[in-house]
Amino acid sequence: MGWFWADGNAAAAAPAVPPSHKDLAASGAAPPPSCPMHNKTMDALSAHKPAAPTPAPEPTPAAAAAPAPASKCPVNHGAKDTFAAAAAAVAPKHHTEIEQPPAPAAESSFLSRLNPLNYMFSSISQEPAPNQAIALPTERDPSSIPKGTGDGNWEYPSPQQMYNALLRKGYTDTDITAVESMVAVHNFLNEGAWNEIVEWERRFGKGLMRGWEIMKRGEENAPMMLRRLEAQENDPEPQPTLIRFQGRPKEMTPKAALLQVLGRINPKYATEPPFDRHDWYVSRDVNGEKKEVRYVIDFYSAPPEPTGEPVFYLDVRPAVTVTGACERLLRWGGDVWWKASGGEVREQERSK
């Protein structure tokens, strides 16, 4: 019937006007089976309606005189647009159109609260701890260790900061009267570690060949050889700087672990395990370019002096990289070679 779209060829022809119901009734002809007004199904549905439809009023003379309207499609095509608009108004929005609630602010993680230069909390309070009975100094002593950023030297924590840090780490039984001595020992050990690093950089900072020239006559003659080379070069040695550092007391270095194994095999090599470990990242100047070198430091305690003063031993060396392993081999191997080849004896004979 062409209810939804018309055929292009039929559009040019005049549409046939079907007879009206009044004409069918006058002629006694049967209505067409496709007429929706006389469809059997529609008649059956009409039979179940609770009340008969109200009869249409009699046409007025003017209406009777008017020509019969042309038949049209019983489907109201305009209702489709109305229904679509109503459905769009009540339909749920697409997930991209729904207004999402604002995302909650992300909580700062534990690592984000640490200072990346020393893996400690960014700020350690100088305020007295709760129930602290004795006041501690809050002054911080400067170190001799230059920062990698170039803005001065590192500063050591004050006794109050040290005490607060110990409490934060769970050492609640710390003797507050010993905190100032602990800070003094802490600063002393760090200065000693830095002096060892500076000495290592003076020997190997300009290359392995130069380092061998310094170490080939053993450890005892290395300071003299170093001073001689520096006088010949007449070139001031670039000072290393400390970029960052990290305390790793619970992670034993391979060398420290090996010493513990040797001590179990032979008591002659028995030693206490290190009580602390640090990894220091140092900036080395290599032909005008900065190179980061990681140093590993093991802190050992030794038997005290007869006077009761504590004794500590530091094992400072570069980490086991290709360059670091060669430097350690040259320093250790040069000393062993000098002694094994009779270098000490030859030096003694020359001095006579």
Side-chain angles (χ1 to χ4, degrees):
M1 294 176 58
W3 286 2
F4 300 103
W5 57 86
D7 189 1
N9 298 328
V17 179
S20 64
H21 290 82
K22 186 178 295 186
D23 296 337
L24 291 175
S27 62
S34 59
C35 178
M37 299 298 297
H38 297 273
N39 189 279
K40 293 182 179 182
T41 305
M42 298 297 295
D43 295 341
L45 292 175
S46 301
H48 290 83
K49 293 183 179 179
T54 305
E58 292 294 332
T60 61
S71 64
K72 62 179 180 179
C73 177
V75 177
N76 186 359
H77 294 280
K80 180 176 67 173
D81 298 334
T82 304
F83 175 78
V90 300
K93 295 183 178 181
H94 193 266
H95 65 87
T96 58
E97 300 175 358
I98 299 176
E99 296 181 0
Q100 299 292 341
E107 297 182 359
S108 58
S109 62
F110 175 78
L111 292 178
S112 65
R113 290 179 290 170
L114 299 181
N115 186 348
L117 299 180
N118 55 9
Y119 298 95
M120 298 291 291
F121 287 96
S122 299
S123 60
I124 302 178
S125 174
Q126 293 271 29
E127 298 296 326
N131 303 323
Q132 181 177 327
I134 301 176
L136 293 173
T138 58
E139 293 79 14
R140 303 181 63 179
D141 294 332
S143 71
S144 64
I145 308 173
K147 293 182 179 180
T149 55
D151 54 345
N153 293 354
W154 290 85
E155 289 185 338
Y156 292 119
S158 68
Q160 183 64 62
Q161 289 178 319
M162 175 71 75
Y163 184 64
N164 291 339
L166 291 172
L167 294 180
R168 181 178 289 181
K169 292 182 179 180
Y171 299 103
T172 56
D173 57 345
T174 301
D175 183 6
I176 192 173
T177 61
V179 172
E180 293 189 54
S181 299
M182 295 169 59
V183 172
V185 172
H186 169 271
N187 300 353
F188 172 76
L189 293 178
N190 281 287
E191 290 292 327
W194 181 248
N195 291 335
E196 291 286 337
I197 291 176
V198 171
E199 186 67 19
W200 200 292
E201 288 294 310
R202 289 178 63 193
R203 300 185 184 189
F204 296 97
K206 292 185 177 181
L208 297 177
M209 293 301 297
R210 180 176 179 274
W212 172 248
E213 289 295 325
I214 298 171
M215 296 305 307
K216 66 181 181 180
R217 298 185 64 185
E219 188 69 35
E220 59 182 8
N221 295 314
M224 178 187 65
M225 298 295 295
L226 177 59
R227 290 192 299 268
R228 183 180 299 175
L229 272 179
E230 289 178 344
Q232 294 174 357
E233 294 168 349
N234 196 20
D235 183 17
E237 184 74 18
Q239 289 296 320
T241 58
L242 179 60
I243 303 174
R244 64 186 185 278
F245 59 92
Q246 180 181 11
R248 304 168 65 181
K250 296 182 180 180
E251 300 179 37
M252 189 175 295
T253 61
K255 181 179 179 180
L258 179 60
L259 291 176
Q260 295 302 306
V261 173
L262 293 177
R264 295 189 182 96
I265 298 175
N266 189 345
K268 177 183 177 180
Y269 301 100
T271 180
E272 292 291 331
F275 63 87
D276 199 1
R277 170 198 172 173
H278 282 187
D279 285 14
W280 289 17
Y281 297 82
V282 176
S283 177
R284 173 186 294 180
D285 190 297
V286 180
N287 298 325
E289 297 183 0
K290 299 295 184 181
K291 177 183 178 182
E292 184 177 284
V293 181
R294 181 168 67 95
Y295 280 85
V296 180
I297 309 169
D298 285 327
F299 296 83
Y300 293 89
S301 59
E305 294 286 348
T307 58
E309 295 180 356
V311 178
F312 302 96
Y313 168 70
L314 305 182
D315 187 4
V316 183
R317 70 274 185 194
V320 182
T321 60
V322 175
T323 305
C326 292
E327 293 176 5
R328 293 167 66 170
L329 180 61
L330 290 178
R331 186 164 186 175
W332 174 79
D335 188 60
V336 172
W337 165 256
W338 177 254
K339 294 178 181 179
S341 63
E344 291 182 334
V345 177
R346 293 194 299 271
E347 287 292 326
Q348 292 176 1
E349 292 178 353
R350 290 177 183 177
S351 62
K352 290 181 180 180

